[in-house]
Amino acid sequence: MKPDGNIPAPAVRRLSLYLRQLELLWADDRQKVSSKELGAALRLTDSQIRKDLAYFGQFGQAGVGYDITELTTNIRRILGTDRTWNVLLVGAGNLGSALSAYRGFAKRGFRLVAVFDSDKKKVGKPLLSNPELVVQHIDMLEDEVKRREIHLAINAVPAEAAQQIAHRLVKAGVKGLFNFAPVNLDIDADVAVASVDLAVQLEQLSFQVSMNQSIADAEKTRKKRRKK
Ligand code: NAI
């Protein structure tokens, strides 16, 4: 990887898309792929793909394309998913339960190893959504982070508890936090935070649909006027 560290976040995000597409091609017994083909499948230009990959090193050969196994291995190494990460979850509620049921995380190198909650009715019981996991009391958090060397955590507690939980996770040694609570967390700069807010994504979607509708309406009006 190039040492400067000034890699744009969108380029890193697209690496995950490239990886997914490469895995599909690999499952299809393919050995080589061109940036043009990769781009066509992902609705990106081939130059975008070449530019993104160039941030991380020299891959592929002009006129031959990329070796699928080699590029897959390299992208996994860059993303840090060439190893398995132990992940913990705080909040065994609706969202936490749904996330714990998803088997796709393990396939991508993320093993959910511990779940915590403060609700005494949930503590000590296996999750209905994933009976392999028994809910632990939140007081066990710090010990468990150390014992199992957990560096990644998912925060799925209500907004009012999210900052306090984030603070405890970081103090315990967690280095990457996936936050679902609708709050801006105040976190040390050396801790990586990823946030997802589906309501924000839906707002973006509704904006795009409204814009497309306005453009279509304006076009219809223009056509009608021309006919008259
Ligand atoms: P929920 O109420 O079903 O679950 C929350 C769980 O957190 C409960 O089991 C509760 O006992 C536990 N909890 C509360 N305080 C705690 C503490 N101090 N320590 C440990 N556990 C604690 O809520 P739900 O629907 O699962 O949502 C969880 C969070 O995710 C909320 O902040 C919600 O706003 C957010 N959310 C975000 C979405 C997104 O798109 N980002 C989508 C859905 C929910």
Side-chain angles (χ1 to χ4, degrees):
M1 197 187 304
K2 282 185 180 177
D4 60 36
N6 289 323
I7 298 167
V12 180
R13 269 199 294 278
R14 283 191 292 269
L15 278 189
S16 294
L17 300 182
Y18 302 155
L19 179 58
R20 212 166 278 176
Q21 193 60 31
L22 288 166
E23 285 168 347
L24 286 175
L25 291 166
W26 184 84
D28 231 12
D29 281 336
R30 292 277 308 276
Q31 276 152 21
K32 298 269 179 201
V33 64
S34 66
S35 44
K36 200 168 180 185
E37 188 189 348
L38 210 49
L42 295 166
R43 292 207 236 168
L44 294 167
T45 62
D46 43 341
S47 63
Q48 178 75 72
I49 290 176
R50 285 195 298 270
K51 193 175 158 199
D52 285 348
L53 292 176
Y55 283 113
F56 303 96
Q58 180 76 45
F59 306 108
Q61 262 178 289
V64 181
Y66 303 103
D67 180 284
I68 289 174
T69 308
E70 201 178 298
L71 188 56
T72 302
T73 306
N74 276 308
I75 294 182
R76 283 198 186 129
R77 179 180 48 76
I78 294 162
L79 291 174
T81 54
D82 55 344
R83 53 166 283 188
T84 299
W85 293 86
N86 281 349
V87 182
L88 70 80
L89 167 73
V90 188
N94 293 314
L95 182 63
S97 298
L99 292 172
S100 74
Y102 180 51
R103 306 287 162 163
F105 293 133
K107 281 191 201 141
R108 305 198 77 79
F110 304 103
R111 187 167 54 204
L112 187 59
V113 293
V115 181
F116 300 89
D117 205 288
S118 56
D119 185 345
K120 286 190 183 122
K121 284 187 244 116
K122 293 180 181 171
V123 172
K125 294 189 184 135
L127 282 175
L128 286 177
S129 51
N130 184 346
E132 286 165 25
L133 289 164
V134 174
V135 179
Q136 301 186 63
H137 193 274
I138 190 68
D139 286 353
M140 301 300 294
L141 184 77
E142 286 76 6
D143 286 349
E144 199 67 351
V145 167
K146 286 194 178 64
R147 192 177 73 83
R148 304 199 72 157
E149 293 185 38
I150 302 175
H151 297 302
L152 299 182
I154 301 173
N155 199 355
V157 296
E160 57 275 16
Q163 178 63 58
Q164 184 234 351
I165 292 296
H167 181 67
R168 279 181 69 174
L169 287 165
V170 170
K171 219 170 153 208
V174 163
K175 296 289 176 211
L177 190 54
F178 203 114
N179 177 49
F180 279 98
V183 285
N184 288 321
L185 296 175
D186 185 11
I187 292 282
D188 294 355
D190 63 338
V191 174
V193 180
S195 295
V196 167
D197 192 331
L198 295 181
V200 170
Q201 303 291 326
L202 282 170
E203 274 166 17
Q204 299 299 308
L205 208 55
S206 78
F207 170 76
Q208 279 174 28
V209 171
S210 306
M211 285 292 285
N212 292 346
Q213 192 60 54
S214 306
I215 293 167
D217 289 348
E219 185 61 25
K220 259 190 213 159
T221 315
R222 240 195 323 271
K223 274 185 186 159
K224 265 188 199 162
R225 279 202 195 121
R226 256 188 245 137
K227 273 186 191 165
K228 277 183 189 169

